[in-house]
Amino acid sequence: MAHPLARILDDAARGEFPEADGAIVVLPPPPGDVDVLVAFSGHFVLSADVDAEEVARQLPVGDFSKPMSAEFLQWLAQKLDTRSGPIDLVFVQRATGAFFDESNSGSVVLERIVDTDHPRVQRALRYRADVRVYSTKDEDAIVVLG
């Protein structure tokens, strides 16, 4: 059974976004040693081992910026006995199973690679499961999935 956050991200990949109601939904943490706060346009999903009522007391109703504020993230990190990490941008799209074709003008061809010392890959290996790495032929760019 998929984690509820996976279903929300899958819906977003299909263009079905949560309502921009200013709400923050608290879900159980995802598998592995990770917690996550996802911000949509006016809707937030916190996937972590925290009490939803306690989270709600920290966030004024209708304040669309507070859940991503340094103040709230610091409070949350303290509750989780961790430190706040960077704010990443996540792009989600449903896979088609096809790679770009070199004959298509402007397309990028990616090849799967196994061994790399790239710092982004090494970081992903510390925090992600099922890490897959792809690179352009000239290795000027990489894509890390996990």
Side-chain angles (χ1 to χ4, degrees):
M1 175 184 248
H3 187 277
L5 180 58
R7 289 193 295 272
I8 292 168
L9 293 174
D10 192 49
D11 288 347
R14 286 194 312 275
E16 300 171 19
F17 297 97
E19 184 178 347
D21 55 7
I24 183 163
V25 175
V26 179
L27 301 174
D33 188 23
V34 65
D35 301 299
V36 62
L37 175 60
V38 179
F40 293 94
S41 294
H43 190 91
F44 307 88
V45 180
L46 174 59
S47 187
D49 189 16
V50 293
D51 180 68
E53 291 179 12
E54 192 173 4
V55 168
R57 285 193 297 272
Q58 299 296 316
L59 302 171
V61 175
D63 187 338
F64 286 32
S65 63
K66 182 76 175 207
M68 298 303 290
S69 71
E71 178 186 2
F72 178 73
L73 295 176
Q74 200 164 20
W75 173 86
L76 183 59
Q78 185 177 17
K79 294 303 291 181
L80 296 170
D81 192 28
T82 188
R83 60 183 174 78
S84 182
I87 295 176
D88 290 331
L89 181 63
V90 176
F91 295 98
V92 179
Q93 180 172 338
R94 297 187 60 79
T96 63
F99 283 93
F100 293 110
D101 186 321
E102 285 186 76
S103 64
N104 185 358
S105 176
S107 294
V108 176
V109 176
L110 298 175
E111 298 175 343
R112 187 162 183 180
I113 57 175
V114 178
D115 297 318
T116 181
D117 292 333
H118 193 283
R120 294 300 295 178
V121 175
Q122 295 305 309
R123 182 184 187 283
L125 291 169
R126 287 194 306 272
Y127 297 102
R128 308 282 184 249
D130 191 25
V131 174
R132 295 171 314 277
V133 182
Y134 299 85
S135 175
T136 54
K137 286 184 181 183
D138 57 12
E139 297 185 3
D140 280 348
I142 65 166
V143 175
V144 182
L145 305 172

